[in-house]
Amino acid sequence: AEAVASHPDTEIDLECVQTNIVIFSLRNGDAAGFVSALKQKGVLASAIGPRAVRFVTHYDVSRSACERAARMVLEQLAAGH
């Protein structure tokens, strides 16, 4: 959530992130296209609206795997999603 919040093309309320679920909006993006591009990189997410993206982590996903996924998300955002 913190990685996503650091990018200017996203909207997220960090105070609402209290569990393993992270939902954010792309300011000028296409959630379905963004999710599709991430899937090609091995990061799974869900488009839950035209601009909204949902991530869910599980207890068996390591911190390093989450950090790696966050880097890929930021790379995709930088590429113009």
Side-chain angles (χ1 to χ4, degrees):
E2 291 170 353
V4 169
S6 72
H7 199 281
D9 288 343
T10 64
E11 297 174 4
I12 186 171
D13 182 352
L14 288 176
E15 291 185 22
C16 289
V17 181
Q18 300 295 320
T19 66
N20 61 330
I21 299 170
V22 175
I23 297 173
F24 67 95
S25 294
L26 298 169
R27 292 186 193 272
N28 300 308
D30 166 31
F34 182 75
V35 167
S36 177
L38 286 177
K39 184 176 182 179
Q40 292 177 5
K41 296 178 179 189
V43 177
L44 301 179
S46 300
I48 58 170
R51 296 181 326 132
V53 177
R54 179 177 181 256
F55 290 105
V56 178
T57 61
H58 297 275
Y59 67 91
D60 60 336
V61 178
S62 69
R63 180 168 185 85
S64 64
C66 289
E67 291 169 349
R68 191 169 48 252
R71 283 191 302 273
M72 290 181 198
V73 168
L74 290 175
E75 288 171 6
Q76 190 59 43
L77 287 166
H81 38 276

